[in-house]
Amino acid sequence: ELRTPITVILAQSDYALDYVDTLDEAMESFEVINRQAKKMTSLINQIMELSKLERQNEIEWRLNNNYTSCFDSHFREQYRGI
């Protein structure tokens, strides 16, 4: 998904640098570049949010497993002789 906006941005900027003759053509290229850059920003923000959620889930999972392990160890120690 990230490659498409980058490809469009590069193509439009190359086109603007090499072939644009009027201000209107330049503005059109810059509008495309701007739209694609915004799309990339959105995709990157989504990836970062997913990464953050995955880290939070991993931390919660580890904490839950550590508590369970501690409880199990404590329970076994306390009731070993019964």
Side-chain angles (χ1 to χ4, degrees):
E1 288 259 359
L2 289 174
R3 282 182 273 195
T4 301
I6 291 171
T7 301
V8 173
I9 288 169
L10 289 172
Q12 286 295 318
S13 61
D14 287 342
Y15 175 80
L17 288 171
D18 295 337
Y19 300 108
V20 169
D21 294 324
T22 67
L23 183 57
D24 286 339
E25 288 177 341
M27 290 300 293
E28 192 175 314
S29 288
F30 292 136
E31 288 170 359
V32 171
I33 290 169
N34 187 270
R35 269 194 318 271
Q36 294 300 315
K38 287 178 180 177
K39 182 176 180 179
M40 274 186 63
T41 299
S42 176
L43 291 170
I44 290 168
N45 286 338
Q46 290 174 15
I47 290 168
M48 292 177 72
E49 185 65 28
L50 285 173
S51 176
K52 179 181 171 184
L53 290 172
E54 285 176 351
R55 279 194 311 270
Q56 289 173 344
N57 285 341
E58 184 177 327
I59 289 169
E60 289 174 10
W61 183 83
R62 286 183 181 181
L63 287 173
N64 287 337
N65 283 337
N66 284 340
Y67 289 140
T68 302
S69 296
C70 289
F71 178 76
D72 286 347
S73 297
H74 177 72
F75 184 77
R76 281 191 215 115
E77 289 294 321
Q78 201 169 30
Y79 295 102
R80 181 180 289 179
I82 296 180

